[in-house]
Amino acid sequence: MKVFMTRSFLFFVFYFLLLQANSQLKDLNGSSPRKRISINDGWRFMRFEKASDTLIYDERPEIFDRNDNKVADTRASESGYVATSQRALKKWILPAANDFIKDPAKHHKRPAGYPGRDFSFVQNNYDDKSWQPVNLPHDWAITGPFYKGDPVIVGGGMGRLPIQGVAWYRRKITLDKGDVGKVIYLDIDGAMSYAMVWCNGILVGGWPYGYNSFRLDLTPYLKPGKDNQLAIRLDNPANSSRWYPGAGLYRNVWITKTDPVHVAQWGTFIKTREVSSSSAIIDLSVQIRNASTKTQHVQAVTEIFLLDTLLENTGKKVAVFARAAANIDAGGKGTIEASVTIDNPLLWGPSPQQKPNMYVAVTRLYVNGKPSDAYKTPFGIRDIKFDPVKGVYVNGSPVRIRGVNQHHDLGALGAAFNVRAAERQLEILQEMGCNAIRLAHNPPAPELLDLTDRMGFLVINEVYDCWEKGKTPLDFHLIFSDWYEADARSFVRRDKNHPSVIAWSFGNEVGEQYTGAEGAVIARKLHDIVKDEDPTRPAAASMNYAKPDMPFAQMTDFISLNYQGEGIRDADAYAHLKGIRTSPLYPAFHEKFPGKLIVSSETASALSTRGTYVFPVTMSISAPVSDTSGGNPVSQFVSAYELYTAQFGSSADKVFAAQDHNPYVAGEFVWSGWDYLGEPTPYYSARSSYSGIIDLAGFKKDRFYLYQSRWKPELPMAHILPHWTWPDRVGKITPVHVFTSGDEAELFLNGKSLGRKKKADYEYRLRWDGVVYKPGELKVITYKNGKQWATDVVKTAGKAAQLQLKADRSNIKDDGNDLSFITVTVLDDQGNSVPYADNTIQFEVSGPGEVVATDNGDPSDLVAFPSKKRKALSGCALVIVKGVNKKGILTVKAISEGLQPASLLIQLR
């Protein structure tokens, strides 16, 4: 009887604890045994620019051709492997991949020994006071200076910035007495590249691919109650990327402390099924790690709460999963699964058609009735279907993909991730009507997917730009065979609970498209890995060469085409060019794969420099840029008439027509949404791309309005190009084009009608190609269904007389991370923008803040981004400012010789 009462009492205590957990959501970083602590501050940094140390990951092949001025669709054919030398540390790094290698027989065993232990930088007593103090995220290369001329060690392809070399980061971490018995992890969201980590002089592990997030277990190497030394070595080779990769610890870094029994890394998976407005079934899988020395009986309780629009918990509990339990062996892992039905769920869907409602599942673990872990999993409830004829359906409604490709850099801020900078990019894209992002060509910062969840973007998440066949001499192909499974699994496992992610891409324009059955075998292997991690989403690789009758195309769940839908080099204007030549292939793929959805994962690759126009203007709807047509090799400008493209590309007009002729195509991802650092086709002496709809500084090119006219047909809008200030073109033909969501327009020059025109079928702009320039006012009145719709006016500006400042936000946090993006515009004395102005502008900040960077969107401008002086491009420039951990008011001032200065106030809170 006594034993029975004791057990009853224990059960009551345990049940009471569960009731407490179910009744109140506690702060997971407060009361929970799990602590996640940012260690972004207080690092010391040192870079070897020319010399290096001897602690190499592996040997690399010798480079004989450093030319990076190659057409982007050049066949991937690089190969170069060397035997691993005795001095290579790869054998100690590979075990970090084991959690993501499914077959235990293939797990890597850590060799004996302590490589690098005698190297001074890893030792606790090394004096690093002379090293540069930095806070993370940190991109060592973005401050420049730019490399100019040729040959240089880093050319235009990688952004002409000093990304190359070995660098070290050092920081001490202190363990509290309460950390005894805890498991301590180092979580690195991104390190570029070949990261190797020492703790107290012992090599812990690392991860070579610079875009993957990874975790290392520091527990065996730490000394409780003492300062513990972290030393991280990065090695960034030149000729390792087709674009600017950034450099350094460029994403967030964390210490995670847990009890021995805890939710494993990215260990939850939430699936939604039978979704409707009245109910949805939520399936939960929780993987639990038992790092203790004995078998543990673990109980799990999971509650679901509603999140608000900022992804903050509302405290409104909507469901509780049934309690689940499992016995987990010492040093092992186990999985607990449960399901629950939610009535009247608030569904996640893309903006603006639907609302991106979000929930959070809070999982609590108990061992012997004692709390052991608490883990948050944000998620959304939605139903996604890929229909091969009707396109993408979200929650039963068709959603046309109006997407863009985005590289990972943030312009003048480089690769160092900043939430506000990324949010600004997405806000401007949404203003254009964009509802989808393809992440080109690598896993993003985790916070970017938090933003796409919150803002309601559809996302194709991508992991590789190459496989075994490389595109540059030292890119990922050198380590693909060792790391492809771990990189692919960790990529999916990290991001699979984000509702914005609707599909996976496991390759972009890979060289294996050319190798027939051999390449298809690798594609199938990667496809199956991705689907093993997540069977709920389709997976594909983007094809710019593989044709419908090739085995490669059979290895994907949907057809992901780069440029092939509208055709590559198939129009008359492209006939003289060498390279891939493909007729429009939408019909052929649709006929061969009638059960697969088709989406254009890259379209257009149109080129332009904001506000610059080159004459004469092609009469074609699409033409390749050259030094004699659309391009100016002296200024390195490309005409903003938005008709000129890369050699393999097409204008927006041509792409629109191809998709409208083939309405079963689900939509497009334009190359690209924003200009990005590196790959400056067609002028590789420049620093950044020309392909963005929005320039590197965040200013809208004329093309922005062409896409807006198509993607937001309900918005009354009209846009005239070019500007109308041409003192050297009086009496010369200066074509006028109009972008409008209307269907008809009448153009007036100084009040005189130049004719009324109506869009024909498969026509997306209205052109008056014979207009003779006269100073004055150009005005367009547009119509829709016979009724006046929208107007636009451009006027001839006078001489530059004054500056104007305008901030995207005049009230920001003082935390050193929040930013204000301020546009300076050169005006005449009547307040008109001076579209040709290139005045040099000096920026000054007073108060508790500073200038972070300046820019103007000019791909050829090689002035370092931190400079407080910047020439305007087409009358505009940008200054980015931040606060420095003190409330107050910033005064930002812009000065230019001969012009009236301007100033504005930024409130820090």
Side-chain angles (χ1 to χ4, degrees), residues 149-176:
D150 282 305
V152 290
I153 192 167
V154 180
M158 294 180 73
R160 297 190 167 271
L161 286 163
I163 61 90
Q164 81 287 357
V166 171
W168 285 83
Y169 291 82
R170 283 172 48 93
R171 187 193 195 277
K172 290 189 182 294
I173 58 173
T174 301
L175 297 188
D176 302 325

Side-chain angles (χ1 to χ4, degrees), residues 295-330:
T295 298
Q296 301 286 4
H297 182 71
V298 184
Q299 301 234 4
V301 176
T302 300
E303 304 167 303
I304 296 177
F305 296 83
L306 186 66
L307 294 176
D308 64 18
T309 56
L310 296 177
L311 302 190
E312 299 290 338
N313 193 297
T314 65
K316 182 180 179 181
K317 188 191 305 180
V318 298
V320 180
F321 287 91
R323 191 181 352 164
N327 292 318
I328 302 176
D329 293 338

Side-chain angles (χ1 to χ4, degrees), residues 236-259:
N236 230 24
N239 298 101
S240 60
S241 175
R242 296 188 300 123
W243 58 84
Y244 176 74
L249 293 174
Y250 71 106
R251 294 179 184 163
N252 293 315
V253 177
W254 313 85
I255 291 291
T256 300
K257 304 177 181 180
T258 72
D259 278 1

Side-chain angles (χ1 to χ4, degrees), residues 426-739:
L426 295 176
E427 287 173 348
I428 297 173
L429 289 169
Q430 274 191 331
E431 182 187 349
M432 183 174 64
C434 175
N435 66 2
I437 304 293
R438 175 174 174 249
L439 297 167
H441 303 288
N442 46 260
E447 295 85 357
L448 181 65
L449 293 178
D450 293 339
L451 287 171
T452 57
D453 286 347
R454 175 169 64 82
M455 299 175 72
F457 283 88
L458 305 176
V459 172
I460 291 182
N461 203 352
E462 190 161 76
V463 62
Y464 300 131
D465 187 50
C466 68
W467 299 342
E468 289 182 345
K469 294 189 174 297
K471 298 178 180 178
T472 60
L474 300 180
D475 64 17
F476 182 77
H477 78 278
L478 296 180
I479 56 174
F480 179 83
S481 61
D482 286 333
W483 286 89
Y484 72 87
E485 182 181 0
D487 278 314
R489 289 190 185 277
S490 65
F491 152 73
V492 176
R493 204 173 296 177
R494 190 196 73 173
D495 294 343
K496 63 188 178 183
N497 288 309
H498 286 280
S500 57
V501 176
I502 63 169
W504 305 107
S505 174
F506 51 86
N508 172 69
E509 299 181 358
V510 295
E512 284 74 6
Q513 292 176 95
Y514 297 82
T515 59
E518 180 185 348
V521 169
I522 300 175
R524 172 55 66 184
K525 188 183 299 184
L526 290 168
H527 170 274
D528 290 351
I529 289 171
V530 170
K531 296 294 283 190
D532 186 52
E533 288 290 325
D534 177 17
T536 71
R537 294 176 177 88
S542 294
M543 301 176 289
N544 70 326
Y545 175 80
K547 304 300 185 289
D549 58 347
M550 294 180 179
F552 192 97
Q554 300 172 25
M555 303 301 155
T556 63
D557 296 330
F558 62 99
I559 302 301
S560 181
L561 297 180
N562 286 7
Y563 311 105
Q564 295 198 81
E566 59 268 22
I568 302 174
R569 298 183 180 90
D570 69 305
D572 290 344
Y574 301 78
H576 63 288
L577 300 174
K578 297 179 180 179
I580 298 170
R581 194 174 305 279
T582 305
S583 59
L585 286 181
Y586 287 139
F589 273 100
H590 188 54
E591 181 179 0
K592 178 69 174 181
F593 300 102
K596 291 187 179 183
L597 176 138
I598 298 174
V599 65
S600 268
S601 40
E602 288 184 29
T603 64
S605 198
L607 308 174
S608 61
T609 317
R610 175 184 52 82
T612 66
Y613 307 89
V614 178
F615 302 95
V617 178
T618 180
M619 297 303 295
S620 301
I621 66 162
S622 184
V625 67
S626 69
D627 288 350
T628 57
S629 178
N632 184 330
V634 177
S635 64
Q636 298 182 346
F637 292 161
V638 177
S639 180
Y641 273 95
E642 311 299 5
L643 294 167
Y644 298 94
T645 77
Q647 291 187 19
F648 54 86
S650 298
S651 69
D653 309 62
K654 185 185 175 191
V655 173
F656 295 164
Q659 297 218 339
D660 287 348
H661 277 293
N662 301 280
Y664 49 82
V665 177
E668 66 171 317
F669 292 87
V670 181
W671 192 269
S672 56
W674 282 56
D675 278 340
Y676 53 94
L677 291 166
E679 206 172 17
T681 304
Y683 298 117
Y684 268 66
S685 56
R687 68 181 193 194
S688 53
S689 78
Y690 293 74
S691 59
I693 301 169
I694 300 155
D695 75 17
L696 199 70
F699 301 140
K700 301 163 187 172
K701 300 182 185 179
D702 291 287
R703 208 178 330 146
F704 177 97
Y705 301 98
L706 180 55
Y707 282 99
Q708 188 182 64
S709 71
R710 178 171 172 85
W711 289 353
K712 299 183 83 169
E714 75 289 347
L715 176 69
M717 57 80 59
H719 176 76
I720 296 172
L721 66 143
H723 62 74
W724 210 240
T725 305
W726 298 103
D728 59 344
R729 295 196 62 80
V730 175
K732 296 181 180 179
I733 291 178
T734 306
V736 176
H737 294 188
V738 171
F739 303 148

